[in-house]
Amino acid sequence: MTSKGEQTREKILNQAAQVFNRQGFRATTINDLIKATGTTKGNLYFHFSSKEEVGLEVLRREKEAFLKFLDAALKGDTPGAGLDNFFRSAYEKHHSRDFVGGCPFGNTALEASDTEPVFAELVAGVFDEWIGKIQNKIAEAQAAGQVRRDLPAQHLAELVVATVEGGIMQARLQKAEGPLSRALNTLRTLLALKV
């Protein structure tokens, strides 16, 4: 059983994640966090020394959850099926949110990469791990004859991540599934993906 203090900390982090994802880190104030969590300023500062500390902890938790999601999504009977499952899972994840919020790592990269080096470093690490996992799956699919072999797995993985992020951003902007759906289907075609 968790203590009341641990429950409060969890509530702050859960609500802060939603606020940061919707408004952005810079635009979010301490008062926004207090309002969203229903806590007091003193209670917030009891658990966290600053908005930056809350933001970093939110990103660490998002990273852990995303890497678990990615590992589960990349599973399949074959490497090609694993890639296709990832595409479907990414689409379903954002569709279930009505394309609100986007990707916390893409959002943070755009917002903080030039001004918040600690945030940028954490997000760069997420993208490196993401690309690495996709690269490994593509290499397996290439070896199985399920993905084109004329380009290096690393280059294709970088393309996949960039295209997925762009599709998520456009779907969020338009509040429509089309951009992400088309991006994922185009990736299937460009990879010559066989499931």
Side-chain angles (χ1 to χ4, degrees):
M1 180 178 257
T2 58
S3 70
K4 187 174 180 182
E6 290 168 330
Q7 290 173 0
T8 299
R9 189 174 195 280
E10 286 299 306
K11 182 179 179 183
I12 290 168
L13 290 170
N14 290 335
Q15 296 301 317
Q18 293 178 34
V19 175
F20 288 143
N21 216 31
R22 192 173 54 249
Q23 293 180 197
F25 177 76
R26 288 191 160 238
T28 299
T29 65
I30 288 292
N31 286 336
D32 292 331
L33 296 178
I34 291 167
K35 182 178 177 185
T37 61
T39 192
T40 64
K41 186 180 272 192
N43 207 3
L44 185 89
Y45 281 115
F46 175 79
H47 293 284
F48 301 97
S49 64
S50 64
K51 180 178 85 167
E52 288 74 16
E53 185 181 347
V54 176
L56 282 171
E57 186 59 28
V58 164
L59 279 176
R60 287 185 192 107
R61 289 165 46 110
E62 292 283 347
K63 173 184 177 179
E64 183 179 325
F66 176 68
L67 293 176
K68 286 180 184 174
F69 162 82
L70 191 54
D71 287 340
L74 283 168
K75 290 185 177 169
D77 292 337
T78 66
L83 285 168
D84 193 60
N85 189 51
F86 164 67
F87 294 149
R88 275 188 278 103
S89 297
Y91 172 82
E92 289 167 5
K93 181 176 187 172
H94 291 279
H95 184 269
S96 72
R97 298 177 182 169
D98 295 324
F99 304 102
V100 173
C103 170
F105 310 110
N107 297 346
T108 303
L110 291 172
E111 181 182 17
S113 60
D114 295 329
T115 58
E116 304 284 343
V118 176
F119 284 70
E121 182 180 351
L122 192 152
V123 170
V126 172
F127 278 101
D128 287 344
E129 287 191 60
W130 185 5
I131 290 167
K133 288 177 184 289
I134 297 291
Q135 179 181 340
N136 290 339
K137 191 58 70 174
I138 287 174
E140 291 172 16
Q142 286 175 321
Q146 296 178 310
V147 166
R148 65 188 296 171
R149 298 179 189 172
D150 59 329
L151 292 170
Q154 180 183 349
H155 296 182
L156 291 172
E158 290 169 351
L159 175 69
V160 165
V161 171
T163 303
V164 170
E165 274 298 311
I168 291 168
M169 181 183 66
Q170 288 295 317
R172 178 184 182 188
L173 181 66
Q174 296 177 26
K175 298 294 182 275
E177 66 183 40
L180 182 56
S181 180
R182 287 189 297 272
L184 296 172
N185 286 331
T186 300
L187 282 173
R188 288 179 175 102
T189 301
L190 289 173
L191 291 171
L193 180 61
K194 297 179 183 96
V195 180

